[in-house]
Amino acid sequence: MSQPTDPRSIPPGCPAHAHGGNVQLYGPDFAADPEAYYAHLRAQGPSAPVDIAPGVEVELVTGYDAALHILQNPAAFPRDSRRWNALAEGRVPADSPALPMMAWRRNALFADGADHAKLRQAVTAALDTVDERALIRQTQKSADYLISGFSSDRHGRAELMAEYAGPLPLLVFSHLFGCPPEIGDRVITGISGIFEGTAGADEILGQALAELIALKHRRPGEDLTTELIHQHALLTHDQSEADEAVLQQLVTLLSGGTAPLAAAIGTSSALYLGEDWPTGLPVEDAVSQALWNYAPIANYAGHYPATDIDLGGRTVRAGDPVLISFAAANTDPRLTEHRAQLNSKAHLAFGAGPHACPAKDPAFMIAVTAVECLVNRLPDMELDDAFTALGWVPSPWSRALSELPVRFSPRSAPMAPAPYESAAPVVSQPTPDLQQPAAQPTVAPSLGSAPEPGPQHKPRKGGLFSRFVAWTKGE
């Protein structure tokens, strides 16, 4: 008999909860109603064993207080996944979808102690050069381009995950990295392919970033790639490995900064456009609600206890993976009873402790700006269906809408490039010292293709970033 995976069909004490019979935290049933799963797991205590992928058991922390304690105590709960018992013992399938998410890489996300501090300082030193006002202008410009693509020559319908929420962060990050058009196209193709599981996508991304780093050695710019090259001494002691270290940090920023942001933009837009959204409440409230109730990074942040530990009466062995359910912690009933009295930013969507993301404020602003641009440019836009009827990506790692169909009054002509074309570069001159976000990769929905130009424009060659650059130049 097959094991039941829907927690509502598993009575308390069922052998399915014993080792080897855990609740499966993946697949369409989980995606359809994750809160039912989290409620069932909470009944077992602040944490419970689950299968995060076929053949991969982890201890999932669902209680807010327990999650915060672990995130704030890196000495007791290291992040280095080379400690992972099952992986070292060959008990993790070689083709497991958990490996791209949990296997060790030399970046701040998987580092501890002094190594983590150096990597964090290098990346935040680069991020601290970002001018937030210019970043907003760049977000507006990217939003206008995408809206111009889907709002004209149509019957007033669009699918916002593929045509707006997904590609917008990719345009912003390609600009932040200082990509020329052709390299930017391949960076977007590579990272999109990785999220979609396309064969060879990692090689495309790696080659494109290697070429970008080589270009910035020859022609430095006011961009994150150049700033990271300047921080090479913090990234590695071996000069011959400096470029590879820069590449790894770029990959981390790209994976951790694009897919979660796409999910947040999509969910926030859906909430704001939904018929149940109270009239008069600002976009900021929709973004906050999305982060609280639909954490883009749902289950992640692997920890590997330094010693055997007790979690609510359960013993977890040293080296066995402990994952944080940001989604479950944020909706913990013990917390929600008092949430009105909490700071609106007390959610764990951006993590907490030494690995928390200090770029949370710019990320929040990008999401707010993206939704504001959408509803201001197309004020009569509505969801094609109720928010509760929308589908979600069947992934344990993220909470992202699979599609977001909308309707609106189509424009008679495509939008022209905005007057802020001459805005200052997003990255300003470097300033001393600083801190970094712990980028957290996740799985995103299909990021889609670039929008087609309006009917009176000549077809533009190249990929998404090339077409965007050409549009900003009025070509």
Side-chain angles (χ1 to χ4, degrees), residues 158-175:
E159 197 287 278
L160 293 184
M161 290 309 297
E163 298 180 88
Y164 188 72
L168 192 149
L170 296 172
L171 292 175
V172 173
F173 270 73
S174 294
H175 180 85

Side-chain angles (χ1 to χ4, degrees), residues 68-75 79 108 111 113 116-117 120 303 351-358 435-438:
L68 195 60
H69 172 73
I70 291 170
L71 291 166
Q72 293 178 336
N73 288 276
R79 300 290 292 267
H116 170 258
R120 182 178 179 88
H303 297 77
H355 284 85
C357 175
Q435 314 163 348
Q436 166 232 318

Side-chain angles (χ1 to χ4, degrees), residues 2 15 50 108 176 226 340 361 432:
S2 62
V50 302
L176 278 172
T226 300
D361 290 337

Side-chain angles (χ1 to χ4, degrees), residues 34-237:
E35 275 303 320
Y37 282 67
Y38 298 145
H40 175 79
L41 293 170
R42 288 192 196 102
Q44 301 180 51
S47 72
V50 302
D51 287 345
I52 200 74
V56 181
E57 179 180 302
V58 304
E59 187 77 9
L60 188 73
V61 178
T62 57
Y64 183 92
D65 290 342
L68 195 60
H69 172 73
I70 291 170
L71 291 166
Q72 293 178 336
N73 288 276
F77 299 94
R79 300 290 292 267
D80 189 336
S81 60
R82 289 173 295 186
R83 297 170 173 266
W84 187 0
N85 292 326
L87 184 62
E89 295 163 6
R91 293 188 284 113
V92 177
D95 60 349
S96 173
L99 286 177
M101 305 301 296
M102 297 175 63
W104 183 85
R105 296 180 181 84
R106 193 177 187 277
N107 59 40
L109 183 62
F110 295 92
D112 298 305
D115 192 33
H116 170 258
K118 288 182 179 180
L119 293 171
R120 182 178 179 88
Q121 182 182 350
V123 180
T124 50
L127 287 169
D128 198 66
T129 64
V130 174
D131 181 327
E132 291 183 353
R133 290 173 297 180
L135 181 58
I136 290 175
R137 291 195 293 272
Q138 185 64 27
T139 303
Q140 292 171 332
K141 190 186 302 184
S142 301
D144 284 351
Y145 168 67
L146 295 168
I147 294 169
S148 75
F150 68 70
S151 64
S152 61
D153 193 27
R154 289 286 187 93
H155 299 294
R157 293 186 180 274
E159 197 287 278
L160 293 184
M161 290 309 297
E163 298 180 88
Y164 188 72
L168 192 149
L170 296 172
L171 292 175
V172 173
F173 270 73
S174 294
H175 180 85
L176 278 172
F177 284 9
C179 293
E182 190 274 335
I183 291 180
D185 287 343
R186 286 189 287 136
V187 167
I188 289 174
T189 298
I191 193 65
S192 300
I194 287 173
F195 289 138
E196 296 164 5
T198 304
D202 50 348
E203 289 85 357
I204 293 173
L205 178 62
Q207 182 61 38
L209 291 177
E211 290 179 24
L212 177 63
I213 292 166
L215 173 66
K216 295 303 176 180
H217 278 297
R218 299 192 304 271
R219 298 202 304 270
E222 295 181 346
D223 51 67
L224 288 181
T225 307
T226 300
E227 295 302 327
L228 281 171
I229 290 172
H230 292 162
Q231 301 295 328
H232 67 85
L234 290 171
L235 295 174
T236 179
H237 297 300

Side-chain angles (χ1 to χ4, degrees), residues 337-359:
E337 291 173 6
H338 309 287
R339 217 161 80 178
Q341 286 76 46
L342 291 173
N343 184 302
S344 63
K345 298 179 181 179
H347 59 74
L348 299 180
F350 293 114
H355 284 85
C357 175

Side-chain angles (χ1 to χ4, degrees), residues 360-451:
K360 57 181 177 292
D361 290 337
F364 186 86
M365 286 191 303
I366 291 173
V368 169
T369 301
V371 181
E372 286 180 340
C373 286
L374 189 67
V375 299
N376 288 338
R377 307 298 192 269
L378 300 170
D380 66 345
M381 178 176 283
E382 297 178 340
L383 296 184
D384 239 4
D385 210 339
F387 178 83
T388 54
L390 296 174
W392 300 86
V393 173
S395 165
W397 313 104
S398 66
R399 186 64 167 162
L401 290 167
S402 54
E403 291 185 337
L404 181 52
V406 294
R407 59 183 181 272
F408 50 88
S409 298
R411 293 175 175 272
S412 58
M415 187 181 299
Y420 38 70
E421 166 62 26
S422 60
V426 170
V427 178
S428 60
Q429 291 299 321
T431 54
D433 234 89
L434 319 145
Q435 314 163 348
Q436 166 232 318
Q440 303 206 13
T442 187
V443 178
S446 170
L447 297 177
S449 58

